[in-house]
Amino acid sequence: MSNVATILRLASGEGDSGFHAPSIVDFFPAPIFFEGTIFEFNRLQLVRVVAALALIIIFMVAARRAKVVPGRFQNAIEFILNFVKVNVAEDILGKEKAPKYTALLTTIFCAILAFNLTGVIPGLNIAGTSLIGLPIVLALWVYVMYLGAGVKAHGVGGFLKNSLFPPGVPPFLYVLLTPVEFLTVFVLRPATLAIRLMANMVAGHLMLVLCFSATQYFIFEAAPAMKAFGALTLVGGFAITLFELFVAALQAYIFVILAAVYISLSIEDEH
């Protein structure tokens, strides 16, 4: 990883004077510990650890301070829990099946939201989901869960039949339809979950860095006639920050909605 980061820094011209647009090097920070080993630890991994610990601490404090008459903090936590339970699990899976998967969906939603929000937190400044490894882990988690749910509900043969041979289709069309369904169920669903999440976080980070690095350049390094543009890029940076807050929540919602939909498709009798 350190060799990749070094090559990317050289390719991006890091170290030269003047304005530098954001590049892929931002997502390959230099190692902090254990450089050159399988345990190499960099700033992006540190951001993920910070987000995970913060999430655990928040819910531990909420659980220990829970009261019959909730305060603002408890209300906020309960709003998130009820939102996933009612607006995702129950709406998509139904009230009978939802309790079995509510904990899974809530954990996924809160984890992705926490990792996404690190992209706009000063001092962290990069989303934990902006490198493909973590989105792949989350997508594989959902993948295993919906395959397991489908096999448990219908057996291996029944699950494959429901997934690959949709009812009501003329038999001769299965020659074309079954390969498409196979790709959809076993390849495209997990792949699109991971790629969509990562791509949105990468785009948001690059836009933020572009605005704020341009602001620094215009104010401190550009010619006097160009300094006024710094105000425009600064306003743009704050606007994109607000937009990134929305995107962070939206991507967590989309991911968990699709997870619930995939589980629902795998356990229902016909689709």
Side-chain angles (χ1 to χ4, degrees):
M1 185 69 73
S2 59
N3 291 334
V4 172
T6 301
I7 293 172
L8 290 172
R9 287 190 184 89
L10 292 174
S12 66
E14 186 174 309
D16 298 334
S17 59
F19 171 70
H20 297 289
S23 70
I24 197 67
V25 71
D26 295 345
F27 306 99
F28 296 92
I32 301 174
F33 306 115
F34 311 120
E35 182 175 359
T37 71
I38 60 173
F39 303 105
E40 189 171 288
F41 190 84
N42 59 37
R43 190 175 72 84
L44 182 57
Q45 291 165 322
L46 177 62
V47 166
R48 291 170 175 171
V49 171
V50 170
L53 290 176
L55 189 62
I56 292 170
I57 291 171
I58 287 171
F59 277 93
M60 286 181 62
V61 171
R64 291 180 178 179
R65 295 184 178 180
K67 299 178 181 179
V68 177
V69 181
R72 292 181 181 179
F73 176 68
Q74 186 176 334
N75 273 328
I77 298 299
E78 290 181 356
F79 172 79
I80 294 174
L81 298 179
N82 288 330
F83 172 77
V84 178
K85 176 185 176 182
V86 176
N87 297 92
V88 178
E90 292 182 358
D91 281 357
I92 295 176
L93 295 166
K95 291 188 177 181
E96 292 184 1
K97 298 176 181 178
K100 187 175 181 180
Y101 301 100
T102 298
L104 166 71
L105 297 173
T106 303
T107 302
I108 290 175
F109 176 80
C110 293
I112 293 176
L113 180 60
F115 289 127
N116 287 353
L117 287 175
T118 58
V120 295
I121 296 177
L124 300 180
N125 302 115
I126 190 167
T129 49
S130 59
L131 205 58
I132 194 62
L134 183 58
I136 285 177
V137 170
L138 294 167
L140 287 177
W141 187 10
V142 173
Y143 180 73
V144 170
M145 289 302 299
Y146 81 71
L147 289 184
V151 170
K152 186 175 182 180
H154 306 294
V156 175
F159 173 70
L160 292 176
K161 180 181 177 181
N162 286 344
S163 300
L164 304 181
F165 300 92
V169 177
F172 68 90
L173 287 181
Y174 287 136
V175 176
L176 298 175
L177 186 59
T178 297
V180 174
E181 290 294 320
F182 179 86
L183 287 174
T184 300
V185 173
F186 296 102
V187 179
L188 294 181
R189 285 179 183 173
T192 53
L193 276 177
I195 293 171
R196 180 188 296 107
L197 177 58
M198 182 205 71
N200 279 277
M201 293 302 103
V202 167
H205 175 80
L206 293 177
M207 291 171 65
L208 282 173
V209 175
L210 177 62
C211 285
F212 288 121
S213 60
T215 299
Q216 180 180 2
Y217 170 75
F218 283 128
I219 293 177
F220 296 105
E221 300 181 32
M226 301 288 290
K227 291 186 181 297
F229 289 104
L232 296 177
T233 55
L234 181 61
V235 172
F238 282 114
I240 293 175
T241 298
L242 295 176
F243 181 68
E244 274 301 288
L245 289 172
F246 169 74
V247 171
L250 179 63
Q251 288 305 311
Y253 175 68
I254 290 174
F255 195 103
V256 77
I257 279 286
L258 291 176
V261 169
Y262 295 159
I263 292 172
S264 177
L265 290 174
S266 70
I267 62 178
E268 68 181 11
D269 293 330
E270 294 183 357
H271 57 80

